[in-house]
Amino acid sequence: MEDKAQIQEAIKVQGEVVRKLKSEKANKQQIDEEVAKLLELKAQLGDDGKHQFVLKTAKGTRDYNPKQMAIREKVFNTIIHCFKRHGAETIDTPVFELKETLTGKYGEDSKLIYDLKDQGGELLSLRYDLTVPFARYLAMNKITNIKRYHIAKVYRRDNPAMTRGRYREFYQCDFDIAGQYDAMIPDAECLKIVHEILSELNLGDFCIKVNDRRILDGMFAVCGVPDDKFRTICSTVDKLDKMSWEDVKKEMVNEKGLSEVVADQIGEYVSMQGGMDLAERLLQDQKMSQSKQACAGLSDIRLLFSYLQLFQVTDKVVFDLSLARGLDYYTGIIYEAVLTQAGVDPVSTDTQNGTPGEENVSVGSVAGGGRYDGLVGMFDPKGRKVPCVGVSIGIERIFSIMEQKAEASAEKVRTTEVQVMVASAQKNLLEERLKLVTELWNAGIKAEVMYKKNPKLLSQLQHCEESGIPLVAILGEQELKDGVVKLRVVATREEADISRADLIGEIRRRTRQA
Amino acid sequence: MEDKAQIQEAIKVQGEVVRKLKSEKANKQQIDEEVAKLLELKAQLGDDGKHQFVLKTAKGTRDYNPKQMAIREKVFNTIIHCFKRHGAETIDTPVFELKETLTGKYGEDSKLIYDLKDQGGELLSLRYDLTVPFARYLAMNKITNIKRYHIAKVYRRDNPAMTRGRYREFYQCDFDIAGQYDAMIPDAECLKIVHEILSELNLGDFCIKVNDRRILDGMFAVCGVPDDKFRTICSTVDKLDKMSWEDVKKEMVNEKGLSEVVADQIGEYVSMQGGMDLAERLLQDQKMSQSKQACAGLSDIRLLFSYLQLFQVTDKVVFDLSLARGLDYYTGIIYEAVLTQAGVDPVSTDTQNGTPGEENVSVGSVAGGGRYDGLVGMFDPKGRKVPCVGVSIGIERIFSIMEQKAEASAEKVRTTEVQVMVASAQKNLLEERLKLVTELWNAGIKAEVMYKKNPKLLSQLQHCEESGIPLVAILGEQELKDGVVKLRVVATREEADISRADLIGEIRRRTRQA
């Protein structure tokens, strides 16, 4: 195939051209043109289906291997069980939405949305989160109350640090309560759920910070921040978990144009942390009490804490005025859970790229959410609002931690649930093995047989050791004559002859706990 | 906002222009240009995030509501349980792959692949099936044997008849065995799995057709089909489940250029159905036995049936020479399961668009698969082959059938698993309700409470009736004084006072079967 070789040569040359332009930091248009030529050449090759493929997954994505899947299943089971305990239903939505459904929902982050190619028909984008599709679903089906969870992948064209367990394709795991209810009861249940899940997953100590958008806005107002700067100052405050106050202040003054005095007043408030007492104190605060918005938020925080006491979760909840959260659509209470034990911090794996000691500051957020009473109304033709509050579990970070734990632990992660391997000690027993394994399958026993006519007993036993299968049912000429099976415990190597009639019962009995 | 109104008016006008051109069947370029203008206008509006959205999901996709999800969960559980019983692990791959990974794998169907927009970086496409990503995964990780299942959504820009339960986004549910094993043992297990799943799901009677690519190719050869027409004739034969032999023959002769004699000889073979006996007869067939390929395939079919006997599934398996299956990558045995009971046929819902009586012919395929020994080698730099055989469960069709069954049945599909509702008979008992529901949650009981300060008892009971909650724990002044809870059975309205200490045990006891 001369053609193919020629194209490959051309690709090589063109690749050099692109690299050179990039290293020279040539202008973008020029680079783009040369990259387009390169892709064109590659596409020519691609069509014959025979060239050597680039063996990789798309940037920012990954496969899950069986071990990762076993861990993922365990985590999902814990979380789903909790959602179900709280009476949630589940829904699913398509992976892509009409582009306009997502437009205007994510502020600056909209640039991170993946668009599909226009192949004729509608303009589509991959979902960026599960909240906007949920709101679209509610409006489209005129649903005014529902308690639902949704676990699915979302897509962001980010440049994530993958060592931190962040990807372009990642799971979100959302629980939301939609409906017109009495204040703070569903909000408190969301926090109860976070508390239950993080406790059950055994991730170490954690803290759930709460605040309220109205308190932030009220605070900005009484400190003298101009109205049109609320959102941008809010996003600067949001950086306090990663930056020191000094740096945050610098950004407020130098980049966002606040006066030192205003910034310092904000600084005083955002250093405050407490519980119901702090909410009460701020309701009396001379400045704060001038803002109706802030007072509404503070009263709700006070009410929230009274419910949290009944739910027995105040030990982990802190009212923290520095909590801001980026997303535009929040209208009331907001919260975020962080792990406070450095030992299991997934962020610490790449501290070589950070400031020494930084890991104490940027402990990972593992859940977050808040109230968004306006989002569904954006989709309703008549603007009818459906108040919503929800929480998103930071499942990818939790996976990373669980994987690290599994790595560190002596216990092997099993990737199958096979209870028994049907093996033979001699040759020519394939038929007998297949008959027996059929009996077991038909009785609902999880069983395996090697796909060889005459496998060695040793290799059959080795497979059990490797994949953690607890029992082996061994057939031989003698066993067949006697109407028994030799049942071997892999861990202890104990063997016992069990009659064929008793075998299924015996396997069930021995693997009940497993 | 004058601007907005102006744009909306412009959209209206432009929409009329497009509609008019379409109704006049104007040339495509002209329509495309006007559509582009319309989209441009809509995009202008989209950016302010306030205009009225088109409230729909993308063409060919759908949301799953809680009831559909409950059915889906049940079906998945049955299938996953079967896969696990056979010792399968599971993996997951990203929803998009490098475009070139998919190129050259699907023949003509490649035009149905969804591409992502080039936003800088790699060229990406949504996965078209789970088999090609599986092969890419094996080659990339140098895995030479694995038994895995993968349940995930795939994407095809088809124009499916959605009344037939076909979509552009749909689930696939694949089980595959990769590895160099003795002939037909893993192949037979795939058929055993199909048999188990279709039996357990209780979809009515079914039939699993088997054939072999080598038998088809050998048959074409001995009938005198030119080598370069094997694939195209194969895809014509594949239409026999939807078209009569007369129409298939017409296509072979008129469109594909076969002679009548050759077509008739094919016609004779493809009308044959049987079991092991047919394989043996064809091995003696004067014509067929001239093809080495056909003989290899026929011997394997014979061997397969001997294993299927041991697996006790021959009652549903038929060797059918008309089975062809479209995909390019099959190299050996192929199979397809069809439901044979008209009553549950999802296709029959839109017979108004088909020929009368057609539903008896096009009974839906609900599982299919085969052996593809060459696919992994296409990804390996050195072309190393990993033999594979697998089956894909036609889960969307199964969902449709199960939904129809649920619709027809008197039994209500529950969308939550709540065991007990914590209710109050009087006012001002919110705190007591929250305390009690916390006790229940902490004990692992699935419980709910209404998010109102003072809900009416009637509305609390109604909620239980509607969502199938079996028990209500009712609190009142008297109950609190006595340290008891009134436990009410929703179905029978029986009530009994249970002491607080016994409540959790009592709820567990009463909902054990539920």
Side-chain angles (χ1 to χ4, degrees), chain A residues 47, chain B residues 102-113 128 132 231 326-329 378:
Chain A
D47 279 335
Chain B
L102 307 189
T103 304
K105 306 301 184 305
Y106 303 107
E108 282 180 19
D109 289 345
S110 291
K111 64 179 185 296
L112 302 181
I113 293 173
Y128 184 85
V132 168
R231 278 292 156 275
L327 287 167
D328 271 7
Y329 49 61
M378 289 176 75

Side-chain angles (χ1 to χ4, degrees), chain B residues 169-413:
Chain B
E169 175 188 59
F170 59 96
Y171 268 96
Q172 283 202 339
C173 190
D174 285 15
F175 171 94
D176 295 82
I177 301 172
Q180 187 68 60
Y181 298 119
D182 283 327
M184 293 297 114
I185 314 176
D187 311 58
E189 187 170 11
C190 288
L191 297 184
K192 169 75 173 156
I193 282 172
V194 173
H195 192 282
E196 284 182 13
I197 288 172
L198 296 183
S199 304
E200 277 178 60
L201 288 175
N202 223 343
L203 299 171
D205 209 9
F206 60 91
C207 164
I208 309 172
K209 299 178 190 172
V210 305
N211 198 2
D212 193 296
R213 266 288 158 88
R214 293 165 299 170
I215 299 174
L216 282 164
D217 285 352
M219 176 183 82
F220 294 143
V222 300
C223 291
V225 177
D227 280 19
D228 61 349
K229 287 192 176 162
F230 280 14
R231 278 292 156 275
T232 184
I233 294 302
C234 194
S235 76
T236 304
V237 168
D238 196 32
K239 296 177 183 168
L240 271 173
D241 58 340
K242 288 174 210 100
M243 278 158 59
S244 69
W245 165 248
E246 280 66 39
D247 291 337
V248 165
K249 184 180 160 185
K250 250 183 237 163
E251 187 174 313
M252 286 181 177
V253 176
N254 301 343
E255 289 177 36
K256 311 260 163 117
L258 288 196
S259 74
E260 288 248 356
V261 182
V262 170
D264 283 337
Q265 284 190 358
I266 294 173
E268 214 167 286
Y269 282 120
V270 297
S271 69
M272 293 178 180
Q273 285 198 344
M276 196 193 274
D277 53 317
L278 176 60
E280 271 164 359
R281 222 169 63 228
L282 286 171
L283 275 168
Q284 310 302 324
D285 182 271
Q286 261 211 321
K287 274 178 115 64
M288 228 23 156
S289 58
Q290 285 165 19
S291 160
K292 264 193 190 167
Q293 271 211 296
C295 290
L298 290 165
S299 305
D300 272 352
I301 290 280
R302 190 171 52 181
L303 184 61
L304 176 75
F305 269 93
S306 74
Y307 294 146
L308 295 179
Q309 270 166 8
L310 298 168
F311 285 158
Q312 302 171 10
V313 295
T314 42
D315 60 323
K316 306 285 189 195
V317 185
V318 174
F319 172 31
D320 183 329
L321 275 89
S322 75
L323 179 71
R325 286 187 74 71
L327 287 167
D328 271 7
Y329 49 61
Y330 291 120
T331 55
I333 189 176
I334 49 179
Y335 35 82
E336 194 163 289
V338 293
L339 300 181
T340 52
Q341 248 174 353
V344 290
D345 177 12
V347 178
S348 63
T349 52
D350 68 344
T351 44
Q352 64 272 26
N353 302 320
T355 329
E358 193 190 49
E359 65 268 42
N360 295 324
V361 182
S362 58
V363 166
S365 147
V366 287
R371 180 163 279 285
Y372 50 103
D373 290 348
L375 190 59
V376 179
M378 289 176 75
F379 289 102
D380 189 277
K382 293 185 182 155
R384 276 168 299 212
K385 289 188 174 181
V386 178
C388 294
V389 63
V391 61
S392 187
I393 307 294
I395 192 77
E396 297 289 346
R397 202 162 273 200
I398 292 172
F399 288 153
S400 305
I401 297 170
M402 300 300 267
E403 276 180 56
Q404 281 177 42
K405 275 182 147 183
E407 217 53 56
S409 131
E411 215 183 314
K412 225 174 137 179
V413 178

Side-chain angles (χ1 to χ4, degrees), chain A residues 251-271:
Chain A
E251 187 175 312
M252 287 181 176
V253 175
N254 300 342
E255 291 176 36
K256 313 257 162 123
L258 288 196
S259 75
E260 289 248 356
V261 183
V262 170
D264 283 336
Q265 284 189 357
I266 294 173
E268 213 168 289
Y269 282 119
V270 296
S271 69

Side-chain angles (χ1 to χ4, degrees), chain A residues 397-415:
Chain A
R397 204 162 271 199
I398 292 173
F399 289 153
S400 305
I401 296 170
M402 300 301 266
E403 278 181 55
Q404 281 176 44
K405 273 182 149 184
E407 217 53 58
S409 130
E411 216 183 316
K412 227 174 135 180
V413 178
R414 280 200 72 184
T415 58

